[in-house]
Amino acid sequence: MMKSPKGTSFPSVHIENKGVVSRVYVDGKEINGIKSIEFLHNKSINSRPVLKIELLAERISIDTAQVFELPEIYHPFYVSTDKLVQVGVITNDQVNELLERGLL
């Protein structure tokens, strides 16, 4: 595995194409739910190739201190846990328990 300038390892990516079917493997594991893939390699900007993968997913979990607002089309389907805590629907401890159990 190749090392990045910051010392972290880059993943090994393998793409198999058989007609209209393409399979993408990252570090030997097949990625499921791929809607599209795009391979970019612009040597004038960056010497490393870039692979963009668009995935279909039933659930998305983002583990970060900052979550950007989803597009307006999704507004009817989600509510901020901070807002639920503020209005007393749920406590921070309950949110943390649901996160630990993988339910949020």
Side-chain angles (χ1 to χ4, degrees):
M1 206 179 277
M2 182 182 264
K3 295 283 186 183
S4 74
K6 295 181 181 179
T8 59
S9 297
F10 288 117
S12 173
V13 177
H14 175 76
I15 301 171
E16 286 181 3
N17 178 264
K18 295 181 181 170
V20 297
V21 177
S22 292
R23 292 185 179 352
V24 177
Y25 299 85
V26 177
D27 292 335
K29 296 180 79 175
E30 184 175 2
I31 304 297
N32 294 316
I34 293 177
K35 180 179 177 186
S36 68
I37 57 174
E38 182 179 357
F39 179 78
L40 307 166
H41 195 184
N42 186 342
K43 288 187 174 187
S44 66
I45 297 172
N46 189 346
S47 64
R48 300 196 189 281
V50 173
L51 179 65
K52 291 184 178 184
I53 302 174
E54 189 174 342
L55 297 172
L56 300 171
E58 184 174 322
R59 289 183 178 195
I60 298 174
S61 174
I62 304 171
D63 188 3
T64 181
Q66 183 177 14
V67 177
F68 299 96
E69 186 173 357
L70 292 173
E72 188 174 336
I73 191 169
Y74 296 109
H75 285 196
F77 304 104
Y78 75 97
V79 63
S80 163
T81 54
D82 288 340
K83 191 172 188 177
L84 294 174
V85 170
Q86 286 175 352
V87 297
V89 172
I90 194 168
T91 67
N92 272 325
D93 289 339
Q94 290 171 317
V95 170
N96 290 333
E97 181 183 334
L98 291 169
L99 287 169
E100 288 172 8
R101 293 174 53 196
L103 299 174
L104 278 182

